[in-house]
């Protein structure tokens, strides 16, 4: 399978017209049609219904489109990084992290960018959704990871990145640490530390279950909250994607399962620098829900 074939197919998916798609790809229509036919032969079936005035995707075409789009985005990201590496500018990548959102899930994409651009300056900003949105719209951040329940303006592009579930974080010598998983009733007598960095999981538990929970407000960074858990002030419900190190342990939280979806966001209609553009494409190519 050639990359040109994939690019032609994705262009045709958007144009739904062979003549227009061939023109957009700057090739003759016969050459364009032959490339699509070779792709269909390789994939083992028709990708499009060809009618006189109408072109539509077949079931196979609809199934293949997201996978081939992902392939094309990854290739474009690699090309952009290579072009940036040949340039002489100082590359930078500025990423915002919403409340309780860690960087572990995007570490792979960041690593790929820095491998291609060893001099790329990285900057992470942890703040409220409102502050991160303002920073993106005023060119102080390239993009941000935000929960999908925050109020996003139309001026932001958004792409689903992953879904995270809550775990209960507690000291290793806590009586509940002996269990493999905890449920809502297990924490009724526990003090649950809550703050902006917790991701709202405890509040979701109270809303879903109707339980009267003992919540203790603690504002600060995740590291400070974990210090308080270690000191015995209470337990915490945090994202399972955060790294929890001894003397604390994380236990699966079920019944109810608490989850939230994380979006990658960036200002719409505004070109990103090569490092940021490649990072966005890599994240979209690696997205898992």
């Amino acid at each position: 399978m050639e990359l040109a074939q994939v690019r032609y197919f994705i262009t045709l998916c958007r144009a739904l017209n062979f003549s227009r798609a061939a023109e957009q790809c700057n090739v003759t229509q016969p050459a364009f049609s032959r490339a699509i036919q070779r792709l269909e032969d390789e994939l083992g079936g028709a990708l499009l219904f060809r009618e006189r005035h109408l072109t539509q995707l077949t079931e196979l075409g609809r199934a293949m489109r997201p996978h081939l789009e992902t392939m094309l985005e990854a290739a474009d990201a690699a090309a952009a990084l290579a072009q940036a590496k040949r340039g002489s500018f100082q590359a930078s990548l500025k990423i915002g992290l919403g409340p309780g959102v860690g960087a572990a899930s995007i570490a792979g994409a960041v690593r790929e960018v820095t491998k291609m651009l060893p001099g790329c300056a990285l900057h992470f900003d942890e703040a409220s959704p409102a502050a991160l949105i303002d920073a993106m719209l005023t060119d102080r951040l390239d993009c941000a990871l935000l929960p999908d329940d925050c109020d996003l303006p139309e001026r932001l592009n958004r792409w689903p990145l992953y879904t995270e579930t809550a775990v209960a974080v507690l000291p290793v010598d806590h009586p509940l640490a002996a269990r493999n998983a905890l449920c809502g009733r297990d924490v009724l007598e526990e003090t649950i530390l809550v703050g902006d960095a917790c991701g709202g999981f405890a509040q979701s538990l109270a809303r879903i279950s109707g339980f009267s929970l003992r919540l203790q407000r603690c504002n600060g960074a995740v590291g400070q909250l974990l210090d308080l858990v270690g000191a015995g002030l209470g337990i915490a419900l945090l994202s399972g994607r955060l790294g929890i190190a001894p003397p604390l342990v994380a236990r699966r939280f079920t019944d109810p399962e608490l989850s939230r979806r994380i979006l990658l966001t960036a200002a719409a209609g505004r070109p990103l620098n090569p490092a940021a553009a490649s990072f966005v494409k890599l994240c979209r190519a690696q997205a898992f829900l």
Side-chain angles (χ1 to χ4, degrees), residues 50-100:
R50 298 169 176 82
E51 301 177 3
R52 180 176 299 178
H53 299 297
L54 185 65
T55 300
Q56 295 293 335
L57 293 176
T58 64
E59 182 177 353
L60 177 62
R62 291 192 297 272
M64 290 295 100
R65 179 177 180 176
H67 299 288
L68 296 179
E69 283 181 328
T70 296
M71 180 189 303
L72 188 60
E73 288 178 348
D76 287 343
L81 283 172
Q83 182 179 9
K85 186 176 178 65
R86 293 193 297 268
S88 59
F89 72 98
Q90 176 62 49
S92 67
L93 178 57
K94 295 173 287 186
I95 305 169
L97 299 174

Side-chain angles (χ1 to χ4, degrees), residues 2-205:
E2 298 177 2
L3 187 60
Q5 294 172 325
V6 176
R7 193 177 301 279
Y8 293 172
F9 172 68
I10 297 304
T11 303
L12 184 54
C13 288
R14 295 164 181 163
L16 292 178
N17 181 282
F18 273 76
S19 297
R20 287 198 300 270
E23 182 179 353
Q24 291 172 18
C25 293
N26 198 30
V27 296
T28 64
Q29 185 171 335
F32 184 91
S33 297
R34 286 194 298 270
I36 296 296
Q37 181 63 59
R38 289 197 302 272
L39 182 61
E40 290 178 322
D41 292 342
E42 293 180 22
L43 294 177
L47 298 173
L48 302 109
F49 293 118
R50 298 169 176 82
E51 301 177 3
R52 180 176 299 178
H53 299 297
L54 185 65
T55 300
Q56 295 293 335
L57 293 176
T58 64
E59 182 177 353
L60 177 62
R62 291 192 297 272
M64 290 295 100
R65 179 177 180 176
H67 299 288
L68 296 179
E69 283 181 328
T70 296
M71 180 189 303
L72 188 60
E73 288 178 348
D76 287 343
L81 283 172
Q83 182 179 9
K85 186 176 178 65
R86 293 193 297 268
S88 59
F89 72 98
Q90 176 62 49
S92 67
L93 178 57
K94 295 173 287 186
I95 305 169
L97 299 174
V101 178
S105 295
I106 56 171
V110 172
R111 182 178 63 249
E112 291 302 314
V113 173
T114 56
K115 282 169 61 177
M116 290 296 296
L117 298 170
C120 181
L122 299 177
H123 171 78
F124 289 93
D125 189 2
E126 297 182 66
S128 68
L132 295 178
I133 289 169
D134 180 69
M136 284 187 286
L137 295 178
T138 54
D139 284 334
R140 289 179 286 118
L141 281 178
D142 297 314
C143 56
L145 275 65
L146 296 172
D148 68 352
D149 60 355
C150 63
D151 187 18
L152 297 177
E154 291 297 324
R155 296 172 60 193
L156 288 184
N157 287 324
R158 77 258 351 234
W159 304 278
L161 205 55
Y162 59 84
T163 297
E164 60 182 11
T165 56
V167 295
V169 179
L170 53 161
V172 68
D173 58 356
H174 192 286
L176 293 176
R179 304 188 184 186
N180 291 325
L182 304 180
C183 67
R185 294 191 179 279
D186 293 329
V187 299
L188 285 178
E189 301 303 318
E190 301 292 329
T191 297
I192 303 177
L193 307 184
V194 297
D196 293 338
C198 294
F201 291 116
Q203 293 89 333
S204 295
L205 173 61

Side-chain angles (χ1 to χ4, degrees), residues 70 159-162 282-289:
T70 296
W159 304 278
L161 205 55
Y162 59 84
L282 286 167
C283 284
R284 294 181 63 190
Q286 299 170 8
F288 52 100
L289 306 179

